[in-house]
Structures are given as C-alpha cells and as structure tokens.
Amino acid sequence: MPDNNLTIITTHVNADFDALASMLAAQKLYPGSLIVFPASQEKNIRNFFIKSMAYLFNMADIKDIVFSNVKRLVLVDTRQPGRIGRLSSLLKRSDLEIHIYDHHPDMANDIKGHYEVVRQTGAAVSILTGILREKEISISSDEATIMCLGIYEDTGSFNFPSTTEEDFMAAAYLLSKGANLNVISNLIAREINSEQVGLLNDMIQASSFYNINSIEVVVTIISTENYVPDFAFLVQKMIKMENLNAIFAIARMEEKIYVVARSRIDEVDVGAVVSFLGGGGHTFAAAATIKNMTLAQTEHKLLESLYKTVKPKRLAKDLMSSPPIMTGPDVTCRDANNTLTRYNINALLVAEKAAGKDELLGYITRQVIEKAIYHNLDHVPVKEYMSTEPATVEPDADIFEIQKKIIESRQRILPVIDNDKLTGVITRTDLLNILVRQSQQTTANLPEPALREPIQARTKNIVKFMNERLSERILSILRDIGRVAAEIGYGAFIVGGFVRDLFLYRSNEDLDIVIEGDGIAFAKRYAERVGARINAYKKFGTAVIIFPDGFKIDVASARMEYYKFPAALPIVEMSSIRLDLFRRDFTINTLAVQLNPEKFGILIDFFAARKDIKEKAIRVLHNLSFVEDPTRVFRAIRFEQRFGFSIGKLTSRLIENAVKMNFFKRLSGKRVFAELRQILEEENPAPAIIRLNDYGLLGVIHPSIELNKELIELFNSVKKVLSWYDLLFIEESYMKWVVYFLTLIRSCNKRISGRICTRFEITPRFRRIFCNERFGADKCLLWLERNLPVQNRVLYKRLSGFKTELILYMMAATKLESVKKAISHYFARLRYTDILITGKDLKAMGLESGPIYREIMQAVLDARLNGKLKTLNDELTYARKYVSRFQSNSNSCDDNSSSVCCDHS
C-alpha cells in the first residue's frame, strides 16, 4: 500500500488482551494495514506479543506514522476519542475513513464511523471472530490462541455477567481452529508479585463505603510513585475477595490517575459512571485515565457521578406477588403438596382467619412437605412442620432489607405486610432473578431449594485469629493438610466442633477434616508424608490418621446424606463442601475453614452459624431434621447446656413434634444410649436431664424413670462427689457417665434394669455393674448407714471389692455425712494400703506354705489398716508372734476372729 494511503488499526490506551486480540483479527480483515498502539501498552501485553507472538503483527510505532498519509482509521474495542491518545487528532480530518468494531454501550461523545459493527458482547474480539468465520478467512492456531485469550480475559473466563452466547460461540470456533488452552490458562492466571500484594492490601485498607440510593458502593484510593501493571486485575481480585457489589478504585501512578470500576449489580452501571470522568466501558466493567486532576478532585467528581447515575433499589411492593397463596394450619401435608403443584410454587404461607383478617402463622416449603410425604407423614397437619415467626417486610422495603431477611433468616418465602394486612409475598427466586438477572428462571421442577440456591457464603480471613488461638503443632498440621490436598487437586477444610469452639474460646484439638475429593486417598498420601498410619472405612469414605504419639485426625470425603425412613442410618453420597455442611445437625456446627495454601484461613459460613453463635442459639438446618435423625434431639439438649445456649423456638417445637410422633421408637437402643452416654459425660449433666424431662424424653430410657426433687438432688450430689474425687489427683481413671447412669436408674428394680440394658444393647461388662453389682452396692451402703463407726479393716473389707464408680455412687447416694466421711477416708487413706512382708519372709520363719500364708498376710494388713503397724520390722515382729501362736495352737479363735485375737494380743 502506498505511503499516502495508509490503513492503521488502533485501540484504547492501556490495551488489554481483548484489545490486542481485536487488532489481530482486524488486521486479517484489512490486509496491508498497520497496528499502532495509541500509547505505551501494559507491560504484560508488550512482553507477551514482543517475545512470543510478534511475528503475527504488522506493527508500527506511533512516532513513525505520518498522520497525513493515513487514509483509513480502524478502531477496535473503543469509540471514545479520549481513549485513543495522539491518534484522536486524526478525527479532525474530513477525508478520513473511520471503521469501528466495538462492544461497549453507546455514549454521547462516541466517535461516529463510516462503517460500524457495534453490539454488546463480553469481548470485542467475539464480534470480529464471527466476521472472520462468515468470510471464511483462515486462522492459524497461534492467531486463534491470541483471539481466544481476549475472550477469556474480558469475560472473566465466562464468569462475568456481561458474557453472551456470542462469546461462547466465538470461543468454540477458535478452539476448533487450534487455540491452545494451556497458553491461555498460563496468561490468565497471573501471579501477583510482592509489590502488587502490597498495593492490594493498601486498596483494602483504604476502602470507603457509601450508601447511594440504598446501594452500597466501595471507593478506594491509593497512590504509588511507580506504575503497577495489572491494576485492573487487582481490582477484580478485590471485588471477589471482599465480596463487593460495586467498586471504584482510584490510583495515582507516576503522573497519571487511573480509575478502574467493577460492578456485579444492575443498579450500578460503571460504564455510565466512569463516562463522566472521560472514560468508558460496560455496565459491569469500566476504566478511565485522568490527567491534570488531583486524587481529591477525581474522588469528588466520581461521587458526584455516582449520585447522579446509580439507580434506586426496587421496593418490595414492586417485586411481590399478590394476592399471596396460603393454606390453613390444619391442612394435611398431602393437601398442601397438591396446592404447591396446582400453583407451581415452592412455598406456602400458613394463615388462619382472625377478626376478619388473615393472621400469619408461618410458612412451609416444598422441600419439607416432600420429605414428610417420603417419611409417610402425609396425614400430618402442616402446622407440625411449618416454620414459625417468619421475618416479614413492609411494601417500601428495599432490596437490601429483602435480601438480608431472606438470606439471614434462611426463608424460602418472605411475606409483605401492610398495616397488619398480608398483601403479598416475595420468594427467594424473585430475589435471585434480580441479583443474577435471570429473568427467564422459573421455579418449576428444580432441585431441592436448600441445596440448589447459589447463596453466597459469608467468608472471612481468620489467619490472625488462628495464630493467636492455636498451638504451633496444630497450625503446622493444618497447613500440611492443605498443602497435600492441593498437590493432588483436592480442597481441604477443617470443619465442625473444632471451628465452632475456636469462636467460643474453648479448647478443642479434635480435628475433623473434610476433603472435596477422595478422603481415603488423601489420608493415605498425608499419612505417608508424616509417618502416620490410617484406618480407612470405604463404605463411608472416611479414615482416621493416627500419629506415632497417638494423636488422631478424622478425615471424610465431602458427602451428603439421605435417610430411607425416619430414624434410619444415613445413606452416604459424594458431594461438595456446602452439601456436606448442610447434612450436619445444627447451624453452629456448619462452619468450615479452608486449608489449601492459596486460601488458608478463609472461614466459610453458608448457614449463618456465626450469627447463631453470637445469639447463643441452637437451630436445625431444616424442619425435618429430627424426623430424619431423632438422636439430634439429644445433641441439641447437650449443646444447649454445655454452651449455655438456648434452643430456638422453631427447633424446640420440632423436638416436641418428634416426641409426639414417637420417632424414637424406631431408633436402635444402641444409638439412643450412645447419645445419652455423651450427655452423662458432660461436666454437669443435671440440667440436660431436666431438659430431657421437659420434652418428655426420659421415657425413652424407661417409662418408670421420673424426674423428681430427689433425683435432681442426687445428680447434684454426684457432681459434688466427682469434683471432690478429681481433686484427689488419683491416677486411676474412672467413667463419669457410669456413676450418673447408676444414679439415673437407682429407682429401677433388677428386672427393669435388665430390660433397660437389653434395650440399649449394653455390653456384659457394664450390664454386670448396672444389674448386679449396683444392688450389692446398695446393700453395702445400707449396712454402712446402720453400723458406722467401724474399724478401718472392716471398712476396707466392705468397700474394697467394689469398682470406683460404685463407691462414688454410694458416696453420692447417702444422705449421712458420717458415711460420706467414711468413704472419703477409705479413698484417701485406706484404698491403696499395702503390706511390705512377703511369702519369703514367712518361709524364713520356718512356716510351711499353705492357706496360713494368706491368713497371716490378711492379719498383717488388718493391723496396718488399723494403724498398729508402720514399718517392715513392725510387720515381721507381728507375723512372728502370729506364727508362734499358730504353731503352739494357743489361739482358739474361729476363722473370722483370729485376726481380732492377734489385734488384741
């Protein structure tokens, strides 16, 4: 092409991959054209095409272009005169032919072209790719890679809301032409250097929150002497990390001010906002480069634009469906399900007429009703499983309030109340349609809502908190777990009680790890790394890692559970972390912390667990929780008393329903006993036993067990006795729960005790304690109460045959202080009394071995117990006298009195 007939292709300053890709595509449409950057391009772009793909571009430096020789100007990825640098001077020429290929929304000061292809897509190169395809212009694999890279970057790997069908089609076509996804992935997944990390931290710390027309907008302002590449990338990183709706980042770098804006909601059109600053972009992504203004001036102008541009929120009265579809409290689950099907809805308000108005009682969801029917509870009235005390809004409530109440209250449906009149409802789907702009989404025939809805988990970086609260060993183990999981492509999380107790400031080193992947495979890999061994359970996808010093870690594959019938053991399926947490018993146990290196210490809270911990509330995750697993009732009571929490009103009503429906009869006795045993192992089980009685659950143990004043006093007495015994610091261990269980069944005779042990499948070892030895202990206690005081040897003889738990039970059961003191004396002074004399000593005295040896040693022990002997010499002297009397046959005492005779010699 002659020098005086140039076609040049250009784009906006600070060109990104989409701009680069669009120029390459345009070059194929205009053979012989030159690619000219309007200014210094971003470093990653320059390095990329100069070092790797420069041969594809027919480039020229802007300094070498004679502007008067330019006949045609081709603009890609922009129409803004302020964004093409020195080339904007060409626009003054009337003889200049302008062609435009752009995907940005129309703006008032757009350049007008002689030929324009403009439509809103995620990436400008998607438009040009479609044209190349229509014209059947060949594309090499390297060219396809660059063009596809532009699509991936500008659509956020197809995650940005601006992504369109045309972007997908263009990418698919480029893949068919050999686009290399490995190259694309490496360039898109850019690592952040130390300077960028520092800048990102400054951006987060400098964030200011503005409420503009009920929309929360973040503005952050930073300053640096040097130009930092990938500033837009850092802004995108921040909006994800901080879970922001809209952000405007203002940065002074070198002598210029850069504004990068991102939005995830319709109400904030960042392209329109930034246009007031001379920039441009899309509804969800925009940028501007500003000269001759200070940071303060830029911020002021930006805020002015925000207040003019940000749309006000839509209100409840604009979103609600009216009139609301309702059902009565006594309608059966079967009939309510028919109503849901008839109207193709997923939730029903439950109301009844009162004083001529519909009085709202609660709501019930399709999920709950279908589970109830699955468990053959279709005849039960909906009032038994409805959620009560629902959050409500007034007609003028904005989306912030609607979103907060639906998400934080975990409601499927939100009633709208106007002057005590029920006027309409807003469903979770209504809200989602606005938040994610899915206007065509319907609620028919979708999966279970509690599992389906893409509710954003609350996240928080708690690394500093973990460093303060956890030991070096535990922190090291958790980091190692994350590293090993990352090596094999799995996600690793610490979950459950460990995380809960972290926020309750309670010590807990029981590590429960959930792996998004094969938990057993991970456990094997980790155990090899640290020199531990594992026990694996393939049926449940779980494993226990056991360290050489005995420390254990429980590992499970992320899973979900479903129940074939009420009280059944769960059927386990592989799942994700969210579904794994959803299967858990209570919201407070659904916290998880990510362990993979890149996200180590990020707390995940899908179900408002931290809110319930703060409010000290025990709440189930869904209304049929106790139908599926009635043992959760016992855990609810145990956690309530352990933490000083309260069972939520709805959860309490669901417990009452489970008792009324007698779901516990289907539970195996072994499962009931396992939960009861854990309650009895608590520091103070008495309040939990009282709560069991409040709900009518002591009858699950046996109908004859009644809570009365005497039993409560007995439990309190056990607590005092055990506290006293623990202060003795005796190394011998004992089972606290056994003492409490002995107390609980004290009123039961041998026949009833046997039935209880049979029902609970108690092992023979403990059955002997509860059904036989307990009654011997009761007789011994009665004897002591009638015969004290007695000599030490007698007290020793009476008590030494009983296990520690039985003796503590006797000490707690007696009301006589003298008996308590006697048992205390036995534990403190007598129980571990031993003699020093041996059989060899007796043989040296010339005594033939036989039954007499045991008799002499018993006599010596009796004398030591009674305080008559202190040393080995005392025992030898005493034994010689005893032997002398035995040999002379001078002692005519009977077997039971021989020792007494010696005592009094």
Side-chain angles (χ1 to χ4, degrees):
M1 181 179 290
D3 289 343
N4 62 352
N5 196 25
L6 285 177
T7 294
I8 64 172
I9 301 169
T10 194
T11 186
H12 52 80
V13 293
N14 300 319
D16 54 14
F17 284 136
D18 185 32
L20 172 68
S22 298
M23 288 193 291
L24 176 62
Q27 179 182 271
K28 298 187 73 63
L29 291 174
Y30 298 88
S33 60
L34 295 176
I35 289 177
V36 179
F37 281 93
S40 59
Q41 54 274 10
E42 292 195 22
K43 291 180 182 178
N44 65 305
I45 296 293
R46 182 170 64 248
N47 293 342
F48 167 62
F49 73 78
I50 287 178
K51 293 181 180 179
S52 302
M53 303 283 190
Y55 75 93
L56 295 173
F57 297 85
N58 186 19
M59 286 188 304
D61 195 297
I62 191 170
K63 293 181 292 184
D64 299 329
I65 298 297
V66 179
F67 281 18
S68 60
N69 291 339
V70 178
K71 176 68 174 177
R72 182 189 295 144
L73 177 66
V74 179
L75 296 174
V76 296
D77 200 27
T78 187
R79 285 179 283 166
Q80 288 288 298
R83 301 199 72 201
I84 60 173
R86 289 171 52 196
L87 292 173
S88 61
S89 62
L90 291 170
L91 302 176
K92 300 175 184 177
R93 288 175 37 194
S94 60
D95 63 336
L96 180 72
E97 183 181 342
I98 300 174
H99 293 195
I100 297 173
Y101 301 88
D102 190 23
H103 69 136
H104 292 93
D106 294 338
M107 297 181 68
N109 61 338
D110 280 343
I111 299 169
K112 303 302 179 184
H114 298 87
Y115 175 74
E116 293 185 358
V117 181
V118 178
R119 53 180 175 269
Q120 290 193 28
T121 56
V125 72
S126 297
I127 298 172
L128 289 152
T129 300
I131 296 172
L132 292 175
R133 184 177 185 178
E134 289 174 7
K135 293 180 177 292
E136 297 182 350
I137 297 174
S138 64
I139 301 173
S140 71
S141 61
D142 284 346
E143 291 170 334
T145 299
I146 294 174
M147 294 180 197
C148 202
L149 172 63
I151 297 174
Y152 267 79
E153 183 189 53
D154 242 31
T155 63
S157 298
F158 306 101
N159 285 316
F160 291 169
S162 55
T163 307
T164 67
E165 179 183 354
E166 188 170 351
D167 298 301
F168 282 101
M169 297 295 289
Y173 174 69
L174 294 170
L175 284 173
S176 73
K177 293 298 180 180
N180 190 325
L181 289 181
N182 288 329
V183 172
I184 293 170
S185 177
N186 290 335
L187 286 164
I188 290 294
R190 287 163 281 180
E191 293 186 2
I192 303 178
N193 60 38
S194 59
E195 185 181 9
Q196 292 171 326
V197 169
L199 188 63
L200 182 58
N201 182 63
D202 291 343
M203 290 163 60
I204 293 172
Q205 297 301 320
S207 296
S208 297
F209 293 80
Y210 294 91
N211 191 294
I212 301 174
N213 289 331
S214 297
I215 304 290
E216 189 177 78
V217 175
V218 172
V219 176
T220 183
I221 303 174
I222 55 100
S223 180
T224 177
E225 294 302 321
N226 302 316
Y227 178 80
V228 178
D230 291 338
F231 181 51
F233 171 65
L234 296 181
V235 176
Q236 188 64 39
K237 197 88 172 170
M238 180 173 168
I239 198 172
K240 289 182 178 179
M241 286 173 57
E242 300 298 304
N243 192 24
L244 306 176
N245 285 328
I247 181 174
F248 292 81
I250 306 173
R252 183 184 65 79
M253 299 182 194
E254 297 175 337
E255 299 303 319
K256 294 181 181 178
I257 292 176
Y258 299 87
V259 178
V260 174
R262 295 291 184 268
S263 172
R264 298 200 285 192
I265 54 177
D266 289 330
E267 289 78 12
V268 182
D269 182 344
V270 294
V273 174
V274 170
S275 68
F276 284 88
L277 301 175
H282 304 281
T283 302
F284 301 101
T289 302
I290 299 170
K291 296 180 181 179
N292 304 320
M293 286 178 65
T294 65
L295 285 172
Q297 289 173 321
T298 303
E299 180 187 19
H300 178 78
K301 193 168 183 179
L302 172 65
L303 291 173
E304 183 182 0
S305 176
L306 281 168
Y307 280 104
K308 289 179 179 178
T309 309
V310 173
K311 304 171 187 175
K313 286 283 189 179
R314 297 180 67 187
L315 304 178
K317 60 187 177 185
D318 303 318
L319 306 175
M320 70 181 187
S321 300
S322 183
I325 299 171
M326 298 177 287
T327 191
D330 295 316
V331 171
T332 65
C333 290
R334 182 193 310 109
D335 292 340
N337 188 56
N338 292 336
T339 302
L340 290 172
T341 303
R342 184 182 312 121
Y343 293 103
N344 195 26
I345 56 177
N346 284 330
L348 275 175
L349 296 182
V350 181
E352 62 181 356
K353 289 289 185 183
K357 294 190 299 185
D358 292 314
E359 181 180 348
L360 181 64
L361 302 178
Y363 71 94
I364 192 163
T365 66
R366 181 185 294 275
Q367 171 199 3
V368 172
I369 289 176
E370 287 180 350
K371 283 190 175 183
I373 293 172
Y374 181 76
H375 290 300
N376 297 319
L377 302 173
D378 52 335
H379 60 286
V380 177
V382 294
K383 65 183 179 183
E384 297 294 345
Y385 297 118
M386 70 180 181
S387 296
T388 55
E389 300 182 345
T392 63
V393 292
E394 296 181 350
D396 291 331
D398 61 25
I399 287 186
F400 268 151
E401 182 180 352
I402 294 168
Q403 179 178 347
K404 181 179 179 181
K405 290 193 173 181
I406 286 181
I407 302 302
E408 291 189 2
S409 301
R410 301 190 294 278
Q411 287 186 203
R412 185 66 182 80
I413 189 170
L414 183 66
V416 181
I417 307 291
D418 186 12
N419 294 322
D420 295 329
K421 182 181 179 182
L422 188 57
T423 59
V425 294
I426 300 171
T427 67
R428 190 178 288 176
T429 302
D430 294 333
L431 176 62
L432 288 171
N433 283 340
I434 296 166
L435 297 180
V436 299
R437 306 187 335 278
Q438 293 176 334
S439 60
Q440 301 303 313
Q441 180 179 349
T442 65
T443 59
N445 302 317
L446 291 177
E448 183 176 61
L451 305 181
R452 172 186 89 236
E453 316 249 354
I455 300 173
Q456 181 68 39
R458 297 161 182 83
T459 60
K460 183 178 182 180
N461 189 321
I462 63 166
V463 169
K464 183 178 178 182
F465 183 57
M466 292 170 68
N467 289 336
E468 292 171 351
R469 292 276 296 118
L470 301 178
S471 68
E472 285 296 328
R473 183 188 186 188
I474 295 299
L475 280 170
S476 177
I477 288 173
L478 295 180
R479 290 186 185 278
D480 285 345
I481 287 171
R483 281 191 283 265
V484 173
E487 287 172 8
I488 54 179
Y490 293 163
F493 306 83
I494 178 78
V495 301
F498 177 89
V499 188
R500 175 201 66 212
D501 288 349
L502 197 63
F503 287 95
L504 289 174
Y505 291 87
R506 296 172 66 95
S507 177
N508 186 342
E509 293 195 349
D510 294 333
L511 303 186
D512 290 321
I513 304 298
V514 169
I515 299 295
E516 281 188 326
D518 188 334
I520 294 176
F522 162 81
K524 290 178 179 177
R525 180 78 165 264
Y526 178 78
E528 290 174 2
R529 178 77 57 87
V530 299
R533 59 187 177 88
I534 73 163
N535 291 332
Y537 307 92
K538 291 184 178 180
K539 180 179 179 182
F540 295 103
T542 62
V544 178
I545 300 171
I546 306 168
F547 285 70
D549 64 357
F551 185 79
K552 296 179 181 179
I553 300 174
D554 291 320
V555 176
S557 305
R559 65 190 195 268
M560 67 176 292
E561 297 173 349
Y562 67 92
Y563 296 76
K564 287 189 174 181
F565 53 84
L569 285 171
I571 307 300
V572 177
E573 293 181 350
M574 298 296 289
S575 181
S576 68
I577 185 63
R578 185 176 187 275
L579 297 185
D580 183 89
L581 296 174
F582 181 77
R583 73 180 176 81
R584 294 174 185 271
D585 46 15
F586 308 108
T587 57
I588 62 170
N589 292 329
T590 60
L591 290 172
V593 176
Q594 292 177 279
L595 301 180
N596 290 50
E598 71 278 8
K599 294 183 179 179
F600 184 83
I602 300 298
L603 176 74
I604 301 173
D605 183 4
F606 281 106
F607 306 105
R610 290 188 67 202
K611 176 175 176 284
D612 286 344
I613 288 174
K614 184 178 180 180
E615 295 178 358
K616 297 186 175 183
I618 304 292
R619 295 189 175 100
V620 291
L621 276 79
H622 60 86
N623 291 15
L624 290 175
S625 183
F626 298 128
V627 174
E628 293 182 340
D629 185 2
T631 63
R632 289 172 175 164
V633 172
F634 295 95
R635 294 201 288 280
I637 291 170
R638 175 158 55 89
F639 290 143
E640 177 190 48
Q641 300 307 314
R642 178 194 294 178
F643 303 133
F645 283 17
S646 297
I647 295 175
K649 289 184 179 179
L650 172 61
T651 301
S652 181
R653 187 174 62 78
L654 295 172
I655 292 175
E656 292 169 356
N657 172 266
V659 175
K660 183 173 72 176
M661 301 297 290
N662 198 18
F663 292 132
F664 301 91
K665 68 181 179 182
R666 295 191 183 186
L667 281 174
S668 71
K670 196 171 186 178
R671 292 185 68 196
V672 174
F673 181 65
E675 295 295 336
L676 179 62
R677 175 171 172 170
Q678 290 192 70
I679 287 176
L680 297 179
E681 286 174 343
E682 292 291 312
E683 186 66 28
N684 182 19
I689 295 298
I690 293 172
R691 287 293 272 160
L692 286 174
N693 184 71
D694 291 343
Y695 287 112
L697 283 169
L698 285 182
V700 174
I701 303 171
H702 194 272
S704 67
I705 296 178
E706 295 181 4
L707 186 69
N708 50 37
K709 183 180 178 181
E710 182 181 357
L711 185 57
I712 293 173
E713 289 177 352
L714 194 52
F715 261 80
N716 291 332
S717 178
V718 171
K719 183 178 184 299
K720 292 177 182 177
V721 166
L722 298 184
S723 296
W724 165 83
Y725 183 76
D726 290 340
L727 290 174
L728 294 179
F729 297 105
I730 296 173
E731 292 185 2
E732 179 185 355
S733 63
Y734 72 100
M735 292 170 285
K736 180 187 295 186
W737 72 269
V738 171
V739 185
Y740 279 113
F741 193 73
L742 286 165
T743 303
L744 190 61
I745 64 170
R746 187 168 190 240
S747 62
C748 300
N749 59 33
K750 186 172 286 191
R751 179 175 56 83
I752 292 175
S753 298
R755 288 180 177 175
I756 291 172
C757 289
T758 300
R759 153 84 169 132
F760 287 162
E761 300 178 47
I762 292 176
T763 59
R765 172 193 174 193
F766 293 114
R767 187 183 183 100
R768 284 192 296 272
I769 295 175
F770 301 137
C771 298
N772 298 314
E773 295 170 15
R774 172 169 68 90
F775 295 99
D778 286 335
K779 288 180 181 178
C780 178
L781 179 59
L782 182 62
W783 188 92
L784 291 174
E785 289 174 341
R786 290 177 177 177
N787 292 280
L788 287 181
V790 295
Q791 290 183 336
N792 287 346
R793 69 178 184 82
V794 177
L795 182 63
Y796 180 90
K797 186 175 182 179
R798 286 285 177 178
L799 295 177
S800 61
F802 292 106
K803 295 178 175 66
T804 300
E805 293 83 2
L806 288 161
I807 302 172
L808 292 171
Y809 158 73
M810 286 188 274
M811 189 175 182
T814 185
K815 294 181 179 180
L816 297 180
E817 196 63 29
S818 59
V819 176
K820 289 185 186 292
K821 287 182 178 180
I823 296 175
S824 172
H825 178 65
Y826 168 77
F827 273 123
R829 303 283 185 180
L830 306 180
R831 189 175 193 195
Y832 300 101
T833 300
D834 205 356
I835 59 176
L836 304 175
I837 196 171
T838 65
K840 289 182 179 180
D841 295 321
L842 296 180
K843 191 172 184 181
M845 296 177 190
L847 195 64
E848 293 290 332
S849 61
I852 188 62
Y853 274 38
R854 184 169 60 183
E855 181 180 332
I856 294 171
M857 288 186 175
Q858 181 63 52
V860 172
L861 176 60
D862 290 345
R864 180 176 275 275
L865 286 167
N866 285 339
K868 295 183 178 295
L869 309 177
K870 303 294 184 183
T871 67
L872 176 60
N873 286 333
D874 291 342
E875 291 182 6
L876 291 172
T877 301
Y878 183 86
R880 289 189 188 99
K881 290 180 181 180
Y882 194 97
V883 170
S884 176
R885 289 189 178 91
F886 175 77
Q887 289 174 337
S888 63
N889 199 23
S890 62
N891 191 343
S892 60
C893 299
D894 58 28
D895 288 345
N896 291 328
S897 62
S898 61
S899 301
V900 178
C901 293
C902 293
D903 285 347
H904 293 281
S905 58

